[in-house]
Amino acid sequence: MYKGYVYLIGAGPGDVRLMTVKGQQCLEKADVVLYDRLVNPLLLETTKPGAELVYCGKLPDRHLLRQEAINDLLVKYALEGKRVARLKGGDPSVFGRVGEEAAALEEAGVSYEIVPGITAGIGAATYAGVPVTHRDHGASFAVVTGHDKSPAGQPIIDWKGLATGVDTIAFYMGVKNLPYICEQLIEHGRSPKTPVLLVQWGTVGRQKTLTGDLATIAELVQKESFSNPAITLVGEVAKLRTKESWFERQPLFGKHILFGRTTEGPSEIASELTKLGADVFEYPRLLTKEDQLDADISFEQYDQIIFHSPKSVDWFFAQLRNKRIDIRSIHARFYGASKKSIKAIESFACLGFGVHEMIESDRRLVIASKNWETRERKRYDLYSEHDFFVSHTDEVIEQSNFTCQRILDEDRVDTIVFPSAEAVRMVTEQILACQETPETLSKRAEVICFGPETAKAAIELGYEVQHMLQKPSKEELVDMLKSNVKQSR
Ligand code: SAH
């Protein structure tokens, strides 16, 4: 019998781009994904449609899945013949109990591999602008647990060796025990003036830091109510921390955006926002299924063809190719309902016009997605007389509701961007599955709409719209978000 396979993968410290290429490839292949609390839920968006997602962190209605139960699940799924991804924060071998999981798989005779990741001690330090070693300030580096199996939960460590033998020390899970840790280090010979840097939620938009020294930091942590997940970096390198790191200086650092999506794949604007430092969640996730052409349809009979998405344009030209129709036999003018559609038309060396340039005609064909047909077609009386054709269907991948739920639970949305009225309706339909409504979402986040049609749709559905872009463009959105960030800094 074929036995499944298990990938024990390091997801990196938070920023989704900090997962290795190999880790990403394994994740995309998995039938089942078991993931921890500290794994960025956005990574789940790259799992294959239909993959089963198992959360191993704490939930309000359930205690943490115990390690033994996780081991058993890994074995169970593998023996069912599934490809299993066990996704762990940071590096799986740094306080990640990967050794126990590997041993359980060995024992059950299940094949597996371990994919390393960037550990938080290095990732969070780097994103806070501090290198863990430096020729002038630190020649050695240790990762140390701040929490242990000892009865009092305090780490059993060779304090003398650590205090005097290592330059830079990264404590994991150490916030609660910080007073004890500082005390031990000082008592065993480390100067109370040794610089200390805490980085909470390193490498993501919520990153926060705190600086002090061994004598002062414990009190500061209490005052600022710093909590886990945080790395405590002790050593001279910590003094290299500047007011803001390269990461925190990005123009949209700290913005958490839910970006309404109506097509498969990343939107160009959303990718730009990510590049500028925002945490962006495109929602919902969609999978495009192409429709077959009705054998009888003849494009030659129309004098206007209106495309409602770039996909519809691609589909149309693919049909011409398949049916061996020469473009010169089509006399219709081509219209695009959006700039993107016009651009797609023009990429085929045909002129594309905006729909506002249309004149009356009774030989008109509209090509759009199934979603547009069900959601938008009736709302438009733009094209009184027309034939209609569905080029493709954008199916919602249910997993994205799972991701959305986790992101909302973690309070990681402060801005919602609706690029179109269709996006407003799409998000609103899906969000119900996450027990949210336009009203509750408006309480959590500012709503930004691209233009009056979009704002109208949002208000009708119950959103409070804070901003409407005068000219719906990437530049204007970025400017607005930047000024928002400035106000909150
Ligand atoms: N395997 C993980 C560590 C798991 S232990 C790794 O290699 O990073 C969990 C601890 O890791 C947390 O308590 C915290 O100390 C640290 N940690 C994980 N993610 C972090 C992050 N984004 N920022 C700061 N600390 C983090």
Side-chain angles (χ1 to χ4, degrees):
M1 189 189 78
Y2 172 75
K3 279 186 188 167
Y5 198 87
V6 179
Y7 303 104
L8 304 164
I9 310 171
D15 183 337
V16 289
R17 294 161 297 180
L18 291 183
M19 182 149 118
T20 62
V21 175
K22 184 172 178 186
Q24 189 65 58
Q25 288 169 348
C26 297
L27 183 61
E28 283 163 16
K29 279 189 275 197
D31 306 307
V32 190
V33 180
L34 286 86
Y35 67 101
D36 282 347
R37 185 177 75 91
L38 289 179
V39 166
N40 190 337
L42 287 181
L43 281 173
L44 303 174
E45 290 293 278
T46 59
T47 53
K48 76 179 179 198
E52 189 180 340
L53 307 179
V54 183
Y55 178 56
C56 302
K58 253 186 202 143
L59 283 175
D61 60 343
R62 192 190 70 189
H63 286 300
L64 199 68
L65 257 189
R66 291 178 61 84
Q67 188 61 46
E68 295 72 23
I70 296 174
N71 297 352
D72 291 348
L73 273 181
L74 291 176
V75 170
K76 173 180 122 23
Y77 284 123
L79 293 180
E80 284 170 8
K82 294 189 171 132
R83 271 190 239 214
V84 187
R86 170 76 177 111
L87 202 54
K88 293 163 160 294
D91 180 278
S93 68
V94 177
F95 311 125
R97 304 182 79 166
V98 82
E100 293 162 53
E101 293 175 1
L105 295 170
E106 288 280 352
E107 198 180 318
V110 173
S111 306
Y112 64 92
E113 57 191 275
I114 305 179
V115 185
I118 294 179
T119 190
I122 295 178
T126 314
Y127 272 49
V130 172
V132 294
T133 71
H134 189 289
R135 270 181 13 148
D136 301 329
H137 309 291
S140 56
F141 168 59
V143 289
V144 179
T145 172
H147 180 85
D148 214 311
K149 282 183 174 171
S150 73
Q154 286 169 343
I156 303 163
I157 284 167
D158 170 4
W159 287 107
K160 176 113 195 94
L162 193 63
T164 55
V166 183
D167 293 337
T168 309
I169 315 166
F171 286 98
Y172 289 59
M173 305 169 280
V175 179
K176 212 170 115 232
N177 278 331
L178 200 61
Y180 176 75
I181 290 169
C182 295
E183 208 179 275
Q184 292 299 309
L185 288 174
I186 295 172
E187 206 172 287
H188 289 90
R190 197 76 174 230
S191 160
K193 292 264 169 283
T194 310
V196 181
L197 167 69
L198 261 89
V199 188
Q200 186 182 22
W201 285 117
T203 80
V204 290
R206 292 193 276 181
Q207 174 169 307
K208 258 175 54 186
T209 59
L210 193 64
T211 48
D213 59 32
L214 275 183
T216 59
I217 196 77
E219 209 184 309
L220 286 172
V221 161
Q222 242 195 356
K223 217 167 84 198
E224 302 284 328
S225 30
F226 240 68
S227 61
N228 269 321
I231 285 292
T232 306
L233 208 66
V234 177
E236 293 303 312
V237 291
K239 71 178 178 213
L240 299 174
R241 165 77 192 171
T242 49
K243 189 167 163 280
E244 276 184 322
S245 70
W246 62 270
F247 175 60
E248 295 147 358
R249 271 198 297 268
Q250 296 175 105
L252 297 184
F253 168 74
K255 276 265 143 221
H256 295 90
I257 300 169
L258 187 149
F259 196 96
R261 170 150 77 178
T262 52
T263 55
E264 191 186 65
S267 101
E268 197 194 315
I269 301 182
S271 306
E272 181 69 20
L273 301 180
T274 306
K275 264 193 230 148
L276 293 170
D279 277 0
V280 184
F281 171 44
E282 289 188 76
Y283 177 77
R285 184 176 162 201
L286 300 161
L287 182 71
T288 299
K289 298 230 165 105
E290 281 209 356
D291 271 59
Q292 291 307 313
L293 181 63
D294 180 340
D296 294 336
I297 194 164
S298 107
F299 297 122
E300 290 91 339
Q301 60 182 301
Y302 299 104
D303 56 24
Q304 295 183 340
I305 302 183
I306 300 125
F307 297 96
H308 262 274
S309 91
K311 283 253 162 61
S312 301
V313 178
D314 291 344
W315 174 89
F316 171 76
F317 282 96
Q319 301 311 319
L320 296 191
R321 272 195 303 278
N322 294 345
K323 294 180 98 187
R324 298 197 51 76
I325 300 171
D326 192 303
I327 185 71
R328 286 167 295 188
S329 67
I330 312 271
H331 298 291
R333 251 181 182 235
F334 294 156
Y335 296 90
S338 65
K339 273 194 199 143
K340 276 195 218 156
S341 303
I342 296 175
K343 218 166 132 190
I345 294 167
E346 301 204 327
S347 74
F348 288 95
C350 296
L351 284 184
F353 297 88
V355 283
H356 57 277
E357 296 174 88
M358 243 165 29
I359 47 164
E360 263 315 304
S361 164
D362 54 4
R363 287 189 298 159
R364 185 178 277 166
L365 173 67
V366 177
I367 307 179
S369 69
K370 179 84 190 153
N371 307 52
W372 186 84
E373 183 191 20
T374 46
R375 223 172 273 112
E376 311 297 316
R377 190 175 171 199
K378 285 182 213 75
R379 296 175 192 274
Y380 284 76
D381 46 11
L382 262 177
Y383 323 124
S384 41
E385 269 298 309
H386 67 276
D387 287 349
F388 181 79
F389 207 86
V390 168
S391 53
H392 62 284
T393 307
D394 287 311
E395 282 178 10
V396 172
I397 301 177
E398 298 290 326
Q399 276 136 279
S400 72
N401 289 338
F402 212 84
T403 315
C404 187
Q405 183 84 63
R406 295 264 328 126
I407 295 229
L408 292 170
D409 286 350
E410 292 182 7
D411 210 9
R412 287 169 68 166
V413 178
D414 56 35
T415 309
I416 300 174
V417 177
F418 287 128
S420 66
E422 195 184 352
V424 176
R425 290 189 265 277
M426 199 93 173
V427 167
T428 310
E429 271 169 32
Q430 292 307 312
I431 210 83
L432 290 176
C434 306
Q435 281 83 48
E436 292 278 343
T437 61
E439 289 78 12
T440 60
L441 277 186
S442 301
K443 287 211 177 74
R444 289 174 173 273
E446 290 207 327
V447 176
I448 301 179
C449 291
F450 274 42
E453 278 299 321
T454 310
K456 193 168 147 238
I459 291 164
E460 267 172 23
L461 282 170
Y463 291 93
E464 266 172 52
V465 176
Q466 267 82 18
H467 305 285
M468 190 187 85
L469 300 185
Q470 295 308 325
K471 208 171 118 263
S473 71
K474 182 166 71 189
E475 292 71 24
E476 193 164 324
L477 176 65
V478 168
D479 283 349
M480 162 160 300
L481 290 168
K482 273 187 192 163
S483 66
N484 258 350
V485 170
K486 252 198 212 124
Q487 278 166 20
S488 63
R489 267 190 193 168

